[in-house]
């Protein structure tokens, strides 16, 4: 396949007009076969979502092949080529069944690749649990993580920990060489967060949400993240974070450190109504998903639409938004040798956009799926 005359995304966030060649499912120096005239279109890499829970009526925590297949098929259809879905706070036996299902699942021709699992719970703080179920909170436990990692056949790529919890810093130090640690659902102050980063934490889960706010005398985790984190997650769905805060985050952290996530739940791609997240009932109206007490419960927006919202409604340059939705998450997951950009040898996941950022063509592993 040859994609001709596209405005092609570059890893530094710039664009250059040129051609893309696809051979045997990967980008190549040359190729034959189908020719796509992409004049007037922009080529960006397939996106990578490293934090979401479900979509199209299914939850990753359903722990079934059917759920994973439905989720990954939907994600591929909206241009997300690689996924690392998140667990919720559940007992070990439930998390184990989810891990078993993920380890046994095999990708389909029209589905996004399952490249990892994000363990969002249960090692979090009760005071900042958000939509997580407090009944199943657990102190950070390295051996529990290892048991689950064995069942998942190594698929856990992220483990979320609140550093101020009992044994939190010690657990971060112990696991830092085995999995990427993200600080999450925490009331930690600046000093505790700094200690966590010094112990090996690298990332912050959905910045601003489920943590103490930043103030000039008590900068908390947000301030420590700015000083020490390799990357921070950001939900740009127009609900979780104000557009001004999104713009400020890109300025403060730089577009090399921001990772756009969807945090989507099962209502994404579905009509308004009653759904669930982590076993708790959720009401969805438009792109707002809430528990009965009004707590925001994930999002109802896929990653592509979050990226488009960041560009069209929040003033983030397209190149920066694509870096945050493709390049940076691939690097964080350690899969950037295959995903996240359009370089020769990478898996040929590509989206062709028009000027209104509408998807005109989606190519997955070198095959056109829509």
């Amino acid at each position: 396949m040859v994609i001709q005359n596209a405005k092609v995304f570059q890893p530094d966030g710039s664009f250059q007009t040129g051609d893309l060649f696809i051979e045997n499912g990967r980008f190549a120096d040359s190729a034959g076969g189908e020719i796509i005239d992409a004049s007037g279109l922009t080529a960006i890499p397939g996106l990578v979502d490293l934090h979401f829970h479900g979509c199209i009526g299914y939850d990753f925590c359903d722990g079934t092949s059917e759920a994973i297949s439905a989720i990954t098929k939907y994600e591929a259809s909206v241009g997300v080529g690689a996924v690392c879905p998140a667990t919720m706070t559940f007992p070990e036996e439930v998390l184990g069944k989810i891990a078993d299902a993920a380890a046994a699942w095999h990708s389909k021709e029209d589905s996004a690749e399952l490249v990892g699992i994000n363990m969002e719970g249960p090692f979090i703080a009760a005071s900042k649990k958000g939509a997580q179920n407090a009944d199943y909170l657990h102190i950070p436990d390295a051996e529990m993580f290892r048991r689950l990692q064995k069942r998942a056949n190594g698929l856990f790529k992220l483990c979320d920990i609140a550093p101020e919890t009992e044994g939190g810093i010690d657990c971060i130090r112990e696991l830092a060489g085995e999995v990427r640690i993200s600080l999450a659902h925490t009331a930690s102050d600046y000093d505790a967060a700094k200690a966590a980063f010094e112990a090996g934490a690298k990332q912050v889960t959905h910045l601003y949400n489920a943590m103490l706010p930043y103030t000039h005398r008590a900068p908390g985790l947000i301030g420590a993240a700015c000083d020490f984190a390799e990357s921070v997650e950001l939900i740009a769905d127009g609900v979780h974070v104000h557009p001004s805060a999104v713009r400020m985050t890109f300025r403060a952290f730089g577009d090399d450190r921001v990772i756009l996530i969807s945090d989507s739940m099962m209502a994404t791609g579905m009509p308004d109504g009653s759904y669930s997240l982590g076993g708790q009932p959720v009401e969805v109206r438009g792109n707002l998903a809430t528990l009965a007490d009004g707590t925001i419960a994930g999002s109802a927006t896929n990653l592509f639409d979050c990226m488009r919202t960041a560009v069209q409604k929040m003033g983030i340059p397209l190149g920066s938004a694509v870096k945050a939705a493709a390049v940076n998450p691939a690097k964080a997951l350690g899969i950037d040798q295959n995903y996240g950009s359009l370089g020769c040898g990478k898996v040929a996941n590509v989206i062709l956009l028009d000027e209104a950022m509408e998807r005109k063509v989606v190519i997955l592993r070198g095959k056109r799926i829509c």
Side-chain angles (χ1 to χ4, degrees), residues 336-352:
D336 50 308
Q337 73 276 14
N338 286 313
Y339 300 95
S341 59
L342 304 173
C344 188
K346 304 287 182 75
V347 174
N349 295 337
V350 59
I351 312 169
L352 297 181

Side-chain angles (χ1 to χ4, degrees), residues 21-28 337-338 343-348 365-366:
F21 302 96
I22 298 173
E23 192 74 40
N24 298 321
R26 291 181 178 263
F27 295 111
Q337 73 276 14
N338 286 313
C344 188
K346 304 287 182 75
V347 174
R365 295 186 288 276

Side-chain angles (χ1 to χ4, degrees), residues 172-179:
I172 290 169
R173 187 176 293 110
E174 187 171 354
L175 289 178
E178 302 175 27
V179 66

Side-chain angles (χ1 to χ4, degrees), residues 3-336:
I3 301 172
Q4 295 182 334
N5 305 315
K7 187 178 178 183
V8 180
F9 172 81
Q10 307 298 310
D12 64 358
S14 63
F15 293 86
Q16 295 180 11
T17 299
D19 301 337
L20 289 170
F21 302 96
I22 298 173
E23 192 74 40
N24 298 321
R26 291 181 178 263
F27 295 111
D29 290 325
S30 62
E34 180 185 1
I35 296 175
I36 297 177
D37 182 5
S39 299
L41 301 179
T42 298
I44 66 171
L47 308 186
V48 179
D49 199 345
L50 60 68
H51 185 157
F52 76 107
H53 298 278
C55 52
I56 208 69
Y58 291 89
D59 192 310
F60 178 67
C61 289
D62 292 344
T64 67
S65 176
E66 178 186 7
I68 299 173
S69 294
I71 288 167
T72 53
K73 183 175 181 178
Y74 170 82
E75 293 296 327
S77 75
V78 297
V80 180
V83 295
C84 180
T87 59
M88 293 289 286
T89 295
F90 282 114
E92 182 175 354
E93 58 267 28
V94 175
L95 293 172
K97 291 176 182 177
I98 297 166
D100 292 343
W105 187 79
H106 298 287
S107 64
K108 310 298 191 297
E109 188 173 278
D110 59 351
S111 66
E113 193 73 26
L114 179 66
V115 296
I117 307 171
N118 181 339
M119 186 186 287
E120 187 176 4
F123 306 149
I124 59 176
S127 64
K128 291 294 180 180
K129 65 180 179 60
Q132 304 280 339
N133 193 328
D135 290 342
Y136 304 127
L137 296 179
H138 198 290
I139 63 171
D141 184 335
E143 289 308 313
M144 175 181 168
F145 171 81
R146 289 174 179 138
R147 289 192 296 270
L148 291 167
Q149 182 70 298
K150 184 177 181 179
R151 292 179 69 166
N153 197 25
L155 272 174
F156 282 102
K157 304 299 184 186
L158 290 162
C159 180
D160 291 8
I161 296 178
E164 79 278 19
T165 53
E166 180 185 347
I169 296 294
D170 289 339
C171 189
I172 290 169
R173 187 176 293 110
E174 187 171 354
L175 289 178
E178 302 175 27
V179 66
R180 188 176 182 88
I181 302 295
S182 188
L183 304 185
H185 291 272
T186 170
S188 62
D189 61 13
Y190 180 92
D191 291 336
K194 177 184 177 184
F197 289 120
E198 290 173 344
K202 302 292 186 185
Q203 194 161 303
V204 175
T205 298
H206 44 51
L207 190 70
Y208 307 116
N209 292 280
M211 63 190 63
L212 297 176
Y214 176 97
T215 74
H216 61 296
R217 291 194 180 93
L221 171 57
I222 298 167
C226 196
D227 287 344
F228 303 109
E230 285 188 3
S231 55
V232 294
E233 302 172 9
L234 193 64
I235 310 170
D237 62 346
V239 172
H240 282 77
V241 184
H242 191 280
S244 177
V246 171
R247 291 189 291 272
M248 184 194 70
T249 303
F250 273 86
R251 286 195 295 268
F253 286 85
D255 63 10
D256 289 325
R257 298 171 67 197
V258 177
I259 295 174
L260 288 178
I261 64 169
S262 70
D263 199 20
S264 69
M265 47 87 69
M266 64 163 58
T268 303
M270 300 289 285
D272 290 357
S274 299
Y275 297 91
S276 67
L277 179 65
Q280 301 180 95
V282 176
E283 287 297 318
V284 175
R285 296 290 179 269
N287 63 345
L288 176 64
T290 58
L291 300 181
D293 64 2
T295 300
I296 295 176
S299 88
T301 307
N302 65 60
L303 181 59
F304 181 88
D305 287 341
C306 285
M307 180 186 70
R308 180 162 51 190
T309 295
V311 174
Q312 295 182 337
K313 298 183 179 180
M314 298 177 174
I316 303 303
L318 176 60
S320 293
V322 175
K323 287 177 70 174
V327 179
N328 301 344
K331 289 180 178 178
L333 292 173
I335 60 169
D336 50 308

